[in-house]
Amino acid sequence: MKGNGERSLKSLNMKWLVLLAVADVLAVLFFVAPELVKGASLTQVGIGRVLTTTVMPVVVLLIVNVLPHNVKSSLVYWKPLGVLPGTEAFTKYGPADPRIDMAALKKNAGALPTDPTEQNSKWYKLYKQVANEPEVAEAHKLFLMYRDMAVMSLALVVLVPVALLVVGAASPAPWLAAGLFVLQYLVTALSARWSGIRFVCNVLAVHSARKVATPKASATKQPAT
């Protein structure tokens, strides 16, 4: 699930990732460790706002881009191998979706493999043919968004409590922050998991509803770049 399309979708999701990160900062400062903002001057508050809005996007980018996509997926599906739902597209998720007629899918898309690696490869080829379908693009966008939110949340489980200890927050605060971000990680990981399954099934639903014409190769060979 990599390429220019994924990068453009991730750029669309960035504002939501930054908003979540800002909300996390505010939740920590005002509910988990309010003593850090008590007595702060208006100047200090203003500086904090500027730092939050300018530095946070950079922090978010670093957190969500430092890991390869297969590691991110393993953090969502909690499996070291075979982590993408495309590995069970035709044996588990397709048959379980009432929108998908598996017989029609086989007729329109050809033989449906059962080996996990071959399933994911076949599914990816089908996805590339319908990547611009609205229901497919939206499901892909949501999967990437929730996946990156889950990765960010898991990183914050460690980073925020350590930061609170460094700045001298009261003793319950680091544990409360860790619990908050564990909960956030679980919610976003499960959301990513179900969005990924929906993404896989939306691709299959399009192909089961109609035969998608394979784009013809250009008669003129393009130079390598």
Side-chain angles (χ1 to χ4, degrees):
M1 299 183 190
K2 293 288 282 184
N4 293 332
E6 177 169 327
R7 284 193 291 272
S8 62
L9 289 174
K10 289 180 70 174
S11 65
L12 291 175
N13 287 332
M14 181 51 59
K15 66 177 181 179
W16 297 109
L17 294 172
V18 172
L19 285 174
L20 178 62
V22 171
D24 287 339
V25 170
L26 296 178
V28 169
L29 291 179
F30 289 98
F31 297 104
V32 176
E35 68 274 9
L36 296 179
V37 293
K38 286 181 179 178
S41 67
L42 291 177
T43 301
Q44 290 172 324
V45 172
I47 293 173
R49 288 176 178 173
V50 172
L51 289 176
T52 297
T53 55
T54 56
V55 176
M56 193 58 67
V58 178
V59 174
V60 171
L61 278 171
L62 290 175
I63 291 176
V64 300
N65 289 330
V66 71
L67 297 176
H69 70 95
N70 58 326
V71 174
K72 293 180 185 180
S73 295
S74 69
L75 295 176
V76 165
Y77 291 99
W78 306 336
K79 297 178 182 178
L81 298 173
V83 295
L84 297 175
T87 59
E88 297 179 294
F90 308 112
T91 54
K92 181 178 180 180
Y93 299 118
D97 193 316
R99 301 173 300 160
I100 300 171
D101 183 334
M102 295 303 292
L105 177 63
K106 183 176 181 179
K107 179 180 178 181
N108 293 338
L112 306 179
T114 57
D115 175 77
T117 301
E118 292 177 1
Q119 284 191 72
N120 194 61
S121 178
K122 174 74 173 182
W123 174 84
Y124 185 75
K125 291 176 182 177
L126 297 179
Y127 156 67
K128 294 299 288 184
Q129 295 176 17
V130 296
N132 293 325
E133 294 286 334
E135 63 268 39
V136 173
E138 179 64 17
H140 191 188
K141 177 175 175 288
L142 289 176
F143 169 68
L144 295 175
M145 181 183 73
Y146 286 125
R147 184 196 66 183
D148 286 349
M149 284 181 173
V151 172
M152 183 182 74
S153 300
L154 189 59
L156 295 178
V157 170
V158 177
L159 295 178
V160 172
V162 170
L164 290 174
L165 288 172
V166 170
V167 298
S171 58
W175 297 106
L176 290 174
L180 170 68
F181 292 117
V182 166
L183 178 62
Q184 181 172 291
Y185 163 68
L186 292 175
V187 170
T188 51
L190 290 173
S191 297
R193 180 178 298 194
W194 292 114
S195 295
I197 294 171
R198 189 72 173 176
F199 175 31
V200 166
C201 289
N202 282 1
V203 170
L204 301 185
V206 172
H207 282 277
S208 71
R210 70 177 193 274
K211 185 174 181 60
V212 178
T214 304
K216 294 182 179 181
S218 175
T220 304
K221 186 176 180 180
Q222 298 296 321
T225 57

